[in-house]
Amino acid sequence: MRIAIVDDDEKQRKALREYVERYSGEKGLDIVCAEFDSGLNFSSDYNEPFDIILLDIEMPHMDGLTAAQHVRKTDEEAEIIFITHMAQYAIKGYEVNALDFMVKPVTYFDLSVKLNRAMRTLPQRSPVKLDVAGGGTQILSLKDIHYVEGSNQYVVYHTLDREYKVHTSLRAAEEKLGKSFVRCNNSFIVNLSHVSSIVGNDVYVGKVPLPISRARKKDFVCSVNRFFGGL
């Protein structure tokens, strides 16, 4: 895993690196850090993609928002976490699909919470190959799959605006998907990253309600809480 630390303040870069190394040790992760002292150096040297970018907003020559715009031209997947003195600056982060922001001075607890959130999204980048019923092959990123539905001898993969029907079993589909996909009943597997709420015995995947079976409700709710509460 590769993490970029972009900040013109050497003391801040050192503190962030120490926090990342501490996090890496606690989680047993292999993390490689790269430091950049300006947004200009970072964006102009952006050859190999990073998984996570810790990006200061207020920097001379090129601010973090502008640097992020340059990065997004070639890398739409990196998780960007802005660092700022003033929270209102971070609102513009939505324009570059930033994951989150932190207000200085950053503490280890602040960073670990944000990294936990970023870690949950990383496995979602993995592609899955579908042999679509009727012929043809479709490659989907896991993050684009909202839920999977078992229907007779077929499985239907639901994305935001399309459905892909595959001749397979729900169990076989389940084995293809990551740990962020959990069954809410015997017929549906839900991508937890798209869960918007749980109301009564229904889980809302975006605006779509799916029933949670009585037998699976306790484990399913626990899975949702773990997913959104931390690693």
Side-chain angles (χ1 to χ4, degrees), residues 56-135:
D56 186 24
I57 289 183
E58 301 98 36
M59 291 184 290
H61 309 303
M62 180 185 286
D63 62 62
L65 289 168
T66 304
Q69 289 168 355
H70 283 278
V71 167
R72 283 296 186 233
K73 292 177 182 179
T74 57
D75 186 353
E76 297 181 356
E77 299 291 338
E79 297 295 358
I80 298 175
I81 301 173
F82 281 119
I83 301 170
T84 177
H85 282 293
M86 302 180 70
Q88 58 263 38
Y89 288 164
I91 294 175
K92 291 187 177 181
Y94 291 112
E95 298 174 5
V96 291
N97 194 28
L99 176 73
D100 215 325
F101 70 94
M102 296 181 288
V103 176
K104 295 181 179 181
V106 176
T107 67
Y108 174 70
F109 177 78
D110 294 333
L111 182 63
S112 63
V113 169
K114 306 306 182 185
L115 290 181
N116 280 347
R117 184 181 177 197
M119 292 297 172
R120 291 195 294 270
T121 69
L122 295 181
Q124 294 275 318
R125 299 183 188 182
S126 303
V128 60
K129 178 182 176 182
L130 305 180
D131 296 319
V132 181

Side-chain angles (χ1 to χ4, degrees), residues 102-194:
M102 296 181 288
V103 176
K104 295 181 179 181
V106 176
T107 67
Y108 174 70
F109 177 78
D110 294 333
L111 182 63
S112 63
V113 169
K114 306 306 182 185
L115 290 181
N116 280 347
R117 184 181 177 197
M119 292 297 172
R120 291 195 294 270
T121 69
L122 295 181
Q124 294 275 318
R125 299 183 188 182
S126 303
V128 60
K129 178 182 176 182
L130 305 180
D131 296 319
V132 181
T137 299
Q138 181 68 39
I139 306 295
L140 292 178
S141 292
L142 290 178
K143 68 178 182 179
D144 293 329
I145 301 170
H146 286 214
Y147 63 96
V148 181
E149 176 185 5
S151 178
N152 295 322
Q153 296 181 355
Y154 292 91
V155 163
V156 181
Y157 288 77
H158 294 262
T159 66
L160 179 63
D161 52 9
R162 292 196 62 180
E163 298 177 357
Y164 299 93
K165 193 174 183 180
V166 178
H167 190 93
T168 187
S169 68
L170 197 60
R171 181 178 294 277
E174 193 171 23
E175 292 174 355
K176 276 190 172 186
L177 304 171
K179 63 181 181 180
S180 60
F181 286 79
V182 178
R183 288 202 195 210
C184 62
N185 60 44
N186 288 337
S187 300
F188 291 96
I189 302 172
V190 173
N191 186 344
L192 298 181
S193 67
H194 289 293

